[in-house]
């Protein structure tokens, strides 16, 4: 309906000159209105008048007689009326647009009139019902007012009667007081003989308490308190001064019972009757009330005394161990606590009621006291490594083990499954972290001491010690691995997490130790240059054995089921140490051989093998101690690298240009000398134990072919073959060798060098290590020309 009203309001109200709804240009009705005849326009005006009258009858409110409505009941009434009129006009325009529909106008009007009559009838019915309800309510209010007035008059009369009774009772008050006093005097007269004996009874009861005769003392106390109750009620709650000491007497008896309960373990062995008496008194006095006071809860006080006595006996503050004595304290508890539980089960439990749950109480009390003492220890100064290990092992494995709380002889009434962990996860984390830190410091110190002792041996005036097999030997590797392995193994008794942490720490410290060992080797080589290392090479060979021993013992540090990849950094560090040792040994060999190769090549070299004999003798003397290296692979490595060093020195001497062959005879002699030297060097190293000569024969024999060639025009083929065997040979090396021949013209030299570049590429499967690239040309360098590879 609101949408119709809004759409009707949006249209202009009338068309100019006709009083009809205005239509805009483009509206579907626009052309129709323009074409209407005067007769049809008159009929539409009549229709509008009729709809306006119906709309007014429908919207106009029905007023009661005598009422007035000067204006709209709400500000929007006028706007709503306009919208309704617009909607009615729009509806009528749509309904009566065609002439044949105007005949039904009367029917629509009569229907609207009947609807208005129906609405007026309903409104009158509602108003009449409302008025009848109001009339009934007024009648009920009148009757209620009459009832209230009657009640007020009755209450006034009762008030006057009560005032008269109050005045009468006031006159009887003195008589009432005399009656009360007479009854009190009568009670006192009857109780006077018993009251006179109260002081003596109090003293006797205190004597019984002091003598620990608890049952007799309790009976006497009950009689005195009963007499107090007999006198208290008739006296109207008046407390006689003679009973003022009973509260202190009862407290003295309770304290004596608590003292006996606190020594329950001792009494159960020495005087169980006294313990039973104390418990019976506490049970009898648990729920009894005196003179309306709160019940005395002596049972709870007795149980608290039991707990405090236990904790004081085993976990007093003065009993906490000193630093370094924690293991002994724990061992004492390991004996004392099971004995205490056995005493509780066998002796104390029969002396107490079943609801005391003595065994459970003992177990939980001892656990609580121990847990509090442990937390107090942890909150104090940091524990040492030994104390930390003892506490972790004892708390995680011993305490709940079969020797203590997990003992099968301990009955289910102990209920140890409900005990909280002795150490929380935070405590364990803190202790493990502190333990690893302390052990790391200790391990680092021990490893440094072992290294310092080994380094001190290097400056001795005698060779390294040997084992029964003749190999150089030192206890340092065994000490290092023992320190690490023992720390790793012992932590496996605690937990997997601590074992993993200590294992990682041990590998880290081993890596630090290996770096320190490598640095010490560098300093040792510097000492040799200053002449402070009389047995330099033997101690380097001994270090080979150290490296081999450490490498072979690494598997002992690997946890069960752990991948070997965790040892990769340590293995890499050991490989670096082996390379450094090999390099230092070969540097020494190179220094010793340099003077011998200073005269090679020469005329003397062409005519005699004397020069190479000296080289072989010096090399043999240098390598004679290689067999003292325990690991055969290391010996082979040293011999192979020594052979390679000799060959490099040989090549370097050839490249110096000290000799130029003056004819075919000298070239033939040079070729023969190269072949002879290759055979002599091969024989030397095979005699020293080298399993296979890999460097001498190939390179020297290849050079021999270069010198034995008579036709210089074929040098290109030989140079190409040399490059195939040794890809690192350069033009400078070939030029130096051609200079040594002494018969190569510029054209032949250029052709040979061209064949070096134009020849087929070297075979990738040759697998030869660099040789010529480590030989400087044409001017020799003063620096070391050691090979790269296993020793670099």
């Amino acid at each position: 309906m609101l949408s119709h009203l809004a759409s009707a309001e949006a249209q202009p109200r009338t068309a100019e000159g006709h009083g009809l709804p205005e239509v805009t240009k483009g509206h579907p009705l626009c052309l129709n209105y323009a074409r209407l005849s005067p007769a049809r326009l008159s009929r539409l005006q009549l229709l509008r008048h009729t709809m306006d009258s119906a709309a007014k009858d429908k919207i106009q409110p029905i007023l009661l007689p005598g009422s007035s409505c000067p204006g709209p009941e709400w500000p929007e009434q006028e706007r709503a009326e306009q919208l309704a009129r617009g909607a009615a006009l729009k509806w009528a325009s749509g309904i009566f647009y065609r002439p044949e529909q105007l005949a039904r106008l009367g029917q629509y009007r009569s229907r609207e009139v009947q609807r208005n009559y129906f609405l007026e009838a309903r409104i009158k019915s509602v108003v009449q019902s409302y008025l009848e309800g109001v009339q009934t309510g007024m009648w009920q209010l009148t009757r209620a007012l009459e009832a209230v007035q009657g009640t007020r008059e009755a209450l006034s009369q009762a008030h006057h009667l009560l005032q008269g009774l109050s005045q009468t009772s006031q006159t009887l008050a003195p008589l009432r007081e005399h009656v009360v006093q007479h009854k009190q005097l009568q009670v006192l007269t009857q109780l006077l003989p018993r009251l006179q004996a109260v002081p003596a009874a109090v003293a006797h009861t205190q004597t019984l308490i002091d003598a620990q005769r608890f049952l007799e003392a309790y009976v006497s106390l009950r009689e005195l308190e009963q007499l107090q109750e007999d006198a208290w009620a008739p006296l109207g709650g008046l407390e006689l001064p003679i009973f003022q000491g009973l509260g202190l007497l009862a407290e003295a008896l309770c304290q004596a019972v608590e003292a006996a309960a606190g020594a329950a373990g001792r009494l159960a062995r020495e005087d169980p009757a006294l313990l039973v008496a104390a418990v019976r008194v506490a049970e009898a006095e648990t729920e009894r009330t005196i003179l309306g006071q709160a019940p005395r809860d002596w049972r709870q006080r007795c149980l608290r005394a039991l707990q405090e006595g236990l904790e004081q006996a085993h976990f007093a503050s003065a009993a906490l161990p000193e630093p370094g004595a924690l293991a002994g304290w724990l061992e004492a508890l390991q004996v004392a606590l099971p004995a205490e539980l056995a005493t509780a089960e066998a002796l104390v439990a029969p002396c107490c009621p079943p609801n005391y749950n003595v065994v459970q109480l003992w177990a939980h009390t001892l656990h609580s006291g121990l847990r509090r003492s442990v937390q107090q220890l942890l909150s104090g100064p940091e524990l040492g490594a030994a104390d930390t290990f003892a506490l972790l092992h004892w708390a995680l494995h011993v305490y709940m083990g079969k020797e203590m709380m997990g003992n099968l002889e301990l009955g289910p009434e102990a209920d140890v499954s409900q005990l909280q962990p002795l150490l929380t996860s935070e405590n364990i984390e803190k202790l493990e972290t502190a333990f690893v830190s302390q052990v790391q410091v200790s391990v680092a110190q021990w490893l440094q001491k072992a290294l310092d002792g080994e380094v001190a041996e290097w400056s001795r005036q005698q060779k390294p010690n040997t084992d029964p097999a003749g190999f150089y030997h030192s206890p340092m590797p065994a000490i290092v691995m023992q320190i690490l392995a023992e720390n790793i193994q012992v932590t496996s008794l605690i937990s997997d997490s601590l074992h993993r942490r200590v294992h990682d720490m041990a590998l880290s410290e081993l890596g630090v130790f290996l770096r320190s060992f490598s640095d010490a080797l560098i300093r040792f080589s510097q000492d040799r240059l200053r002449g402070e290392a009389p047995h330099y090479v033997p101690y380097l060979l001994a270090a080979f054995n150290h490296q081999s021993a450490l490498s072979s013992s690494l598997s002992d540090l690997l946890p069960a089921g752990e991948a070997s990849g965790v040892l990769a950094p340590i293995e890499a560090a050991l490989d670096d140490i082996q390379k450094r040792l090999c390099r230092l040994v070969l540097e020494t060999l190179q220094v010793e051989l340099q003077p011998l190769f200073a005269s090679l090549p020469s005329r003397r070299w062409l005519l005699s093998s004397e020069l190479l004999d000296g080289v072989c003798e010096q090399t043999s003397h240098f390598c004679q101690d290689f067999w003292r290296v325990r690991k055969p692979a290391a010996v082979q490595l040293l011999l192979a690298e020594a052979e390679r060093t000799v060959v490099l020195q040989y090549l370097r001497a050839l490249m110096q240009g000290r000799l130029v062959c003056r004819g075919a005879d000298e070239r033939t002699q040079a070729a023969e000398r190269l072949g002879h030297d290759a055979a002599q060097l091969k024989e030397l190293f095979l005699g020293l134990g080298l399993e296979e000569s890999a460097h001498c024969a190939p390179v020297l024999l290849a050079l021999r072919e270069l010198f034995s060639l008579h036709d210089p025009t074929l040098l290109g083929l030989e140079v190409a073959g040399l490059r195939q065997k040794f890809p690192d040979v350069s033009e400078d090396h070939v030029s130096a060798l051609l200079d040594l021949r002494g018969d190569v013209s510029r054209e032949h030299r250029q052709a040979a060098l061209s064949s070096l570049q134009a020849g087929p590429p070297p075979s990738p499967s040759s697998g030869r290590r660099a040789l010529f690239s480590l030989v400087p040309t044409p001017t020799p360098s003063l620096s070391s020309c050691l090979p790269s590879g296993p020793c670099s």
Side-chain angles (χ1 to χ4, degrees):
M1 185 64 185
L2 291 177
S3 62
H4 291 302
L5 294 177
S7 61
E9 179 65 17
Q11 298 294 335
R13 295 187 60 183
T14 60
E16 183 179 358
H18 298 285
L20 296 174
E22 183 179 352
V23 293
T24 59
K25 186 176 182 179
H27 192 275
L29 298 179
C30 180
L31 296 176
N32 294 337
Y33 274 118
R35 298 175 181 177
L36 288 177
S37 61
R40 184 169 293 182
L41 286 176
S42 63
R43 288 198 297 269
L44 287 177
Q45 290 176 357
L46 176 61
L47 172 62
R48 180 195 173 205
H49 176 72
T50 304
M51 295 305 297
D52 288 344
S53 300
K56 288 181 181 180
D57 293 341
K58 185 177 180 180
I59 297 175
Q60 185 67 29
I62 301 174
L63 301 178
L64 295 176
S67 63
S68 63
C69 184
E73 295 183 0
W74 62 86
E76 293 82 1
Q77 181 177 0
E78 182 178 357
R79 177 174 174 80
E81 181 178 357
Q82 293 175 358
L83 293 175
R85 287 179 180 274
L89 287 175
K90 184 176 181 180
W91 173 79
S93 299
I95 295 297
F96 302 106
Y97 173 71
R98 290 182 293 181
E100 57 269 18
Q101 292 179 338
L102 294 177
R104 302 174 60 184
L105 179 62
Q107 297 177 5
Y108 285 110
R109 183 167 187 175
S110 62
R111 188 168 59 187
E112 293 297 326
V113 171
Q114 290 176 4
R115 183 182 297 176
N116 290 338
Y117 288 159
F118 174 72
L119 293 176
E120 289 175 1
R122 291 196 62 181
I123 292 172
K124 288 178 182 180
S125 175
V126 171
V127 171
Q128 184 65 28
S129 176
Y130 174 75
L131 291 177
E132 290 176 357
V134 171
Q135 183 178 2
T136 302
M138 292 297 295
W139 180 81
Q140 292 177 351
L141 289 175
T142 303
R143 293 293 180 270
L145 179 60
E146 293 175 356
V148 169
Q149 290 176 354
T151 303
R152 180 181 298 175
E153 293 176 359
L155 290 176
S156 177
Q157 294 174 4
H159 180 67
H160 289 303
L161 292 175
L162 288 175
Q163 287 181 348
L165 291 176
S166 177
Q167 293 175 0
T168 303
S169 64
Q170 289 178 0
T171 59
L172 297 177
L175 180 60
R176 189 182 296 109
E177 293 178 0
H178 287 297
V179 171
V180 171
Q181 292 176 0
H182 176 72
K183 290 181 178 180
Q184 293 177 352
L185 289 174
Q186 184 180 5
V187 171
L188 290 176
T189 302
Q190 295 175 356
L191 298 177
L192 185 58
R194 297 172 61 188
L195 294 176
Q196 290 177 346
V198 168
V202 170
H204 177 66
T205 304
Q206 184 64 50
T207 303
L208 294 175
I209 294 173
D210 295 339
Q212 294 186 338
R213 298 164 60 182
F214 295 145
L215 293 178
E216 299 177 25
Y218 181 67
V219 171
S220 178
L221 177 64
R222 287 288 298 267
E223 293 176 353
L224 290 173
E225 291 177 343
Q226 185 63 42
L227 178 60
Q228 183 183 17
E229 290 182 356
D230 294 342
W232 181 77
L235 295 179
L238 179 63
E239 184 177 357
L240 297 177
I242 197 172
F243 294 113
Q244 290 181 354
L246 289 186
L248 297 177
L249 188 64
E251 183 63 25
L253 178 59
C254 183
Q255 291 178 359
V257 170
E258 288 180 343
R266 178 180 59 81
L267 290 179
R269 291 187 295 269
E270 300 175 0
D271 191 2
L274 180 60
L275 177 60
V276 172
V279 173
R280 289 182 62 185
V281 169
E283 283 295 306
E285 198 63 16
T286 295
E287 298 181 357
R288 195 169 70 89
T289 58
I290 304 298
L291 302 179
Q293 300 176 359
R296 297 171 179 172
D297 198 359
W298 284 16
R299 177 192 296 165
Q300 293 300 323
R301 294 182 64 173
C302 181
L303 293 176
R304 282 197 297 270
L306 285 170
Q307 296 173 336
E308 292 174 359
L310 275 176
E311 293 182 1
Q312 189 68 23
H314 297 284
F315 308 112
S317 298
L320 293 179
E322 297 293 330
L326 181 59
W329 183 67
L330 294 175
E331 290 178 0
L333 289 178
Q334 186 175 347
V335 176
L337 297 188
E340 194 70 49
L341 289 174
T343 300
E345 187 174 10
L347 301 177
V348 180
C351 299
C352 301
N355 59 350
Y356 273 41
N357 296 324
V358 171
V359 180
Q360 180 181 355
L361 177 67
W362 245 245
H364 285 241
T365 301
L366 292 174
H367 177 77
S368 177
L370 177 59
R371 195 168 187 268
R372 185 167 53 256
S373 298
V374 170
Q375 295 300 323
Q376 186 176 353
L377 278 174
L378 296 181
S379 63
E382 186 178 17
L383 299 177
D387 288 344
T388 301
F389 178 83
L391 179 58
L392 285 171
H393 181 261
W394 195 86
L396 297 179
H397 300 281
V398 177
Y399 180 64
M400 295 304 294
K402 295 181 179 180
E403 299 179 359
M404 295 191 68
M405 292 301 184
N407 192 344
L408 298 178
E409 298 180 359
L410 193 62
E413 59 272 10
D415 196 16
V416 296
S417 61
Q418 300 298 323
L419 298 178
Q420 295 180 349
L422 194 60
L423 294 175
T424 64
S425 57
E426 292 80 6
N427 296 146
I428 296 175
E429 175 69 22
K430 181 179 178 181
L431 287 173
E432 288 185 355
T433 302
F435 178 78
V436 172
S437 300
Q438 294 168 353
V439 170
Q440 184 172 9
V441 173
S442 177
V443 167
Q445 293 175 353
W446 279 104
L447 294 182
Q448 187 60 42
K449 287 181 181 179
L451 180 59
D452 293 341
E454 179 65 22
V455 172
E457 294 288 325
W458 293 349
S459 59
R460 294 193 311 169
Q461 296 298 323
Q462 58 185 6
K463 291 185 176 182
N465 298 327
T466 58
D467 60 8
F471 301 117
Y472 287 139
H473 173 73
S474 171
M476 184 193 71
I479 293 174
V480 171
M481 298 309 296
Q482 181 180 3
I483 292 173
L484 299 178
E486 286 182 354
N487 282 281
I488 293 174
Q489 183 178 5
V490 76
T491 54
S492 63
L493 302 175
I494 304 298
S495 64
D496 293 338
S497 62
L498 183 60
H499 186 242
R500 167 55 58 189
R501 289 184 176 186
V502 174
H503 177 265
D504 294 343
M505 179 275 297
L507 294 183
S508 175
E509 288 302 316
L510 180 57
V512 174
F513 170 79
L514 294 178
R515 289 192 292 271
S516 300
F517 184 62
S518 180
D519 295 340
L521 291 175
I522 295 176
R523 293 192 297 271
F524 188 39
S525 66
Q526 296 172 354
D527 294 340
R528 177 187 67 85
L529 297 178
R530 294 191 296 267
E532 299 175 2
H535 298 285
Y536 177 69
V537 174
Y539 279 103
L540 291 180
L541 299 178
F544 264 100
N545 289 336
H546 304 340
Q547 185 269 347
S548 300
L550 291 174
S551 180
S552 61
S553 301
L554 277 182
S555 58
D556 297 339
L557 303 181
L558 190 65
E562 187 73 22
S564 59
V566 297
L567 301 177
I570 304 301
E571 293 173 348
L574 288 171
D575 290 341
D576 292 341
I577 289 177
Q578 185 184 50
K579 292 177 181 179
R580 174 157 291 174
L581 287 170
C582 183
R583 184 177 183 84
L584 293 176
V585 171
L586 297 180
E587 282 180 351
T588 306
L589 176 61
Q590 178 179 325
V591 170
E592 294 182 2
L593 293 179
Q594 280 179 351
L596 300 178
F597 280 102
S599 301
L600 190 149
S602 63
R603 307 284 180 222
R604 180 184 172 190
W605 168 70
L606 290 176
L607 299 175
S608 171
S609 63
E610 181 181 355
L611 292 179
L612 193 62
D613 291 341
V615 171
C616 292
E617 181 180 358
Q618 184 64 32
T619 303
S620 176
H621 176 74
F622 184 85
C623 298
Q624 66 181 354
D625 287 338
F626 283 4
W627 69 272
R628 295 188 181 274
V629 177
R630 181 182 301 275
K631 192 174 181 180
V635 176
Q636 292 299 313
L637 174 66
L638 286 171
L639 290 174
E641 294 302 316
E643 181 194 26
R644 189 163 182 260
T645 300
V646 172
V647 172
L648 284 172
Q649 289 295 102
Y650 196 105
L651 293 177
R652 184 182 180 215
L654 289 178
M655 299 300 168
Q656 299 304 311
R658 299 191 187 101
L659 175 67
V660 176
C661 294
R662 293 179 293 190
D665 294 339
E666 288 189 355
R667 286 190 293 275
T668 302
Q669 291 177 357
E672 293 176 354
R673 178 55 52 198
L674 287 172
H676 181 272
D677 290 350
Q680 187 174 356
L681 290 176
K682 182 176 181 180
E683 180 182 0
L684 167 67
F685 284 102
L686 291 178
L688 290 174
L690 183 63
E691 296 178 354
E692 181 181 0
S693 176
H695 298 99
C696 294
V699 65
L700 296 184
L701 294 178
L703 297 181
R704 184 191 65 177
E705 295 298 327
L706 189 65
F707 282 90
S708 62
L709 186 65
H710 296 287
D711 188 359
T713 59
L714 301 178
L715 286 175
L717 297 176
E718 292 296 334
V719 170
L722 181 65
R723 183 173 181 270
Q724 281 290 319
K725 297 177 182 179
F726 303 97
D728 61 333
V729 66
S730 66
E731 293 183 359
D732 294 335
H733 295 123
V734 174
S735 296
L737 293 174
L738 296 180
D739 291 340
L740 186 59
R741 277 183 59 94
D743 64 338
V744 181
S745 64
R746 178 177 299 180
E747 292 78 8
H748 292 158
R749 179 188 301 271
Q750 188 64 33
L753 295 179
S754 298
S755 64
L756 183 67
Q757 300 296 332
S763 174
S765 60
S766 60
R768 297 186 182 275
R769 291 168 54 196
L771 281 177
F772 286 94
S773 60
L774 300 176
V775 178
T777 57
T779 302
S781 174
L782 297 179
S783 61
S784 169
C785 55
L786 286 176
S788 61
C791 296
S792 60

